[in-house]
Amino acid sequence: MTKIDIISGFLGAGKTTLIKKILAEALSTEKIVIIENEFGEIGIDGGFLKDAGVTVTEMNSGCICCSLSGDFSKALEKVISEYSPDRIIIEPSGVGKLSDVITAVKTVLSDNVKLNSFSTVADASRFKIYHKNFGEFFDNQITSAKTVILSHTDGLSDDKISLCIDTIKSLNPDAVISVTSWDKLSGTQLLNAIESDNEHFIKSLIDSHNEHEHHHEHEHEHHDECECECHEHHHEHEHEHHHEHEHDHHDECECGCHEHHGHHHADEIFTSWGKQTSRKFSKTELSDILSALDDNKLYGDILRAKGIVPSSNGDWLHFDYVPGQADIRNGQADITGRICVIGAKINEKELEKLFS
């Protein structure tokens, strides 16, 4: 029997970190295959997971929801037949819709293949921002999840965490919600949260997805001609001290485009820019570059950046960026440097200058 677990989450929520923790602390005796779907041309996280001895199948041609009925199902079937794993963990693109991934997985289910769980990692520190500005994608991951695991809860006020919980409950009253900081939980406890409900819940939720999507296909036909592009130009940055800077036009826009569900593909809203590079960076220089990405007027609304680049002192630097926060650490060498940036209305020329 092969179990399939889907662990989704918006850009930078911490999906890879969660998966690595569960692998190390709860699933070390199982034969695991990770299927990772990157939005963008250059896959980065696959290298991180390979360091842990995990087989990774990367599909960089587009998000899962854009290659749903064909390639993704075939990839799943191939993984099952070639590896016969105990468990497949699917990590969808941060801008993918969880409901679409569930639909794709349903095509390969059999007596020997079981959909075990589908969960979402949600960044508590940026929950309000992403819910407001990218609701079509962010909210879908919440409404479609059996379990919602909040990340980055350390240092947040009780009011902010309560707001997250209230919003989750309003979107998905039946979801199991994990709030405790991951440092205080074991991988086994997190896995138990993901697997906390029974098969009846899974079946009923899948059935409700099908009815929901069918309903919205008809409900939103009249929205196709809307050209206000509200869903494309909203973005806010929330820094480590959780200061929110909201653009004035958020309060004025009442068309609600960013609230509509089910009729946009990720590549209609989000773009990615990537490059391979042999340029060497110092840690200070790389830190300054990532801080510069907060300038959304110059570079566009950058939601996520990650990469592996050679260091000027001979080491290799692995980096992750979400608005207002960057992490740079020493890591394993790669055959060449790789950089991937994801966002909305990206200024590729300025990014090229920034990293060159």
Side-chain angles (χ1 to χ4, degrees):
M1 170 66 72
T2 296
K3 296 179 181 179
I4 298 179
D5 297 290
I6 306 167
I7 299 179
S8 70
F10 202 65
L11 297 164
K15 299 185 296 294
T16 302
T17 300
L18 176 66
I19 290 171
K20 291 175 74 172
K21 183 177 178 69
I22 290 174
L23 288 173
E25 300 177 12
L27 297 176
S28 59
T29 61
E30 291 191 19
K31 184 178 181 182
I32 308 290
V33 170
I34 306 292
I35 294 184
E36 184 179 60
N37 173 234
E38 289 284 346
F39 180 87
E41 297 177 357
I42 300 178
I44 302 293
D45 286 340
F48 296 158
L49 290 167
K50 283 171 188 169
D51 292 345
V54 176
T55 301
V56 179
T57 299
E58 289 182 281
M59 295 170 289
N60 295 323
S61 58
C63 59
I64 283 177
C65 58
C66 296
S67 57
L68 203 54
S69 59
D71 293 347
F72 183 64
S73 298
K74 288 180 181 178
L76 265 181
E77 291 173 353
K78 184 177 180 182
V79 165
I80 293 166
S81 63
E82 289 190 5
Y83 296 101
S84 299
D86 297 316
R87 189 185 300 256
I88 296 172
I89 298 178
I90 299 173
E91 181 185 356
S93 162
V95 295
K97 295 179 180 178
L98 178 54
S99 60
D100 288 342
V101 185
I102 293 171
T103 300
V105 169
K106 284 176 60 182
T107 65
V108 303
L109 300 182
S110 68
D111 291 341
N112 296 317
V113 182
K114 167 189 173 185
L115 177 55
N116 186 53
S117 70
F118 36 91
S119 55
T120 290
V121 182
D123 183 344
S125 67
R126 296 174 177 82
F127 194 101
K128 178 182 176 182
I129 291 170
Y130 291 158
H131 168 60
K132 181 177 181 180
N133 300 338
F134 300 101
E136 179 178 340
F137 297 89
F138 182 81
D139 290 359
N140 179 276
Q141 295 178 3
I142 300 295
T143 58
S144 304
K146 182 166 66 73
T147 304
V148 178
I149 301 174
L150 291 178
S151 62
H152 305 139
T153 56
D154 280 342
L156 286 188
S157 67
D158 290 342
D159 287 344
K160 285 201 171 187
I161 293 176
S162 294
L163 178 62
C164 294
I165 294 171
D166 290 344
T167 305
I168 292 168
K169 287 182 176 178
S170 70
L171 293 170
N172 186 351
D174 297 318
V176 175
I177 305 173
S178 173
V179 178
T180 305
S181 171
W182 297 359
D183 292 339
K184 299 175 183 176
L185 296 174
S186 68
T188 300
Q189 287 176 301
L190 289 165
L191 181 62
N192 287 341
I194 288 172
E195 296 182 326
S196 59
D197 256 319
N198 57 32
E199 293 183 10
H200 176 73
F201 181 95
I202 293 178
K203 183 180 184 303
S204 65
L205 194 52
I206 290 177
D207 291 342
S208 71
H209 287 322
N210 294 339
E211 294 174 5
H212 177 79
E213 293 299 322
H214 178 73
H215 171 71
H216 278 281
E217 282 177 8
H218 295 286
E219 186 181 57
H220 294 306
E221 283 179 358
H222 64 281
H223 293 310
D224 292 342
E225 297 180 0
C226 178
E227 297 178 355
C228 77
E229 298 182 349
C230 293
H231 54 276
E232 295 185 3
H233 60 219
H234 293 326
H235 183 55
E236 302 166 44
H237 295 304
E238 183 165 341
H239 297 272
E240 290 181 4
H241 58 285
H242 311 301
H243 170 73
E244 297 180 7
H245 172 71
E246 298 192 4
H247 298 300
D248 292 338
H249 61 262
H250 289 317
D251 296 330
E252 299 172 2
C253 176
E254 297 179 354
C255 75
C257 289
H258 54 285
E259 296 176 359
H260 300 161
H261 295 276
H263 70 285
H264 290 109
H265 288 304
D267 53 8
E268 293 180 80
I269 310 299
F270 305 99
T271 54
S272 67
W273 172 86
K275 70 176 296 182
Q276 295 185 346
T277 180
S278 59
R279 182 192 165 185
K280 293 180 174 62
F281 296 79
S282 71
K283 207 164 189 175
T284 300
E285 181 184 25
L286 186 57
S287 177
D288 290 342
I289 288 172
L290 297 179
S291 295
L293 294 177
D294 287 338
D295 186 350
N296 61 318
K297 291 183 179 179
L298 183 59
Y299 299 108
D301 292 335
I302 307 302
L303 297 170
R304 184 82 163 98
K306 53 188 175 181
I308 305 167
V309 293
S311 168
S312 51
N313 65 7
D315 295 327
W316 281 73
L317 301 175
H318 294 217
F319 67 86
D320 288 279
Y321 163 90
V322 291
Q325 184 175 348
D327 174 55
I328 303 172
R329 60 201 178 277
N330 292 328
Q332 187 175 352
D334 208 337
I335 56 174
T336 187
R338 294 180 291 164
I339 299 165
C340 182
V341 179
I342 302 173
K345 294 190 174 180
I346 287 177
N347 188 329
E348 295 188 6
K349 290 183 179 179
E350 291 298 330
L351 286 174
E352 182 69 45
K353 282 196 270 184
L354 182 66
F355 283 96
S356 294

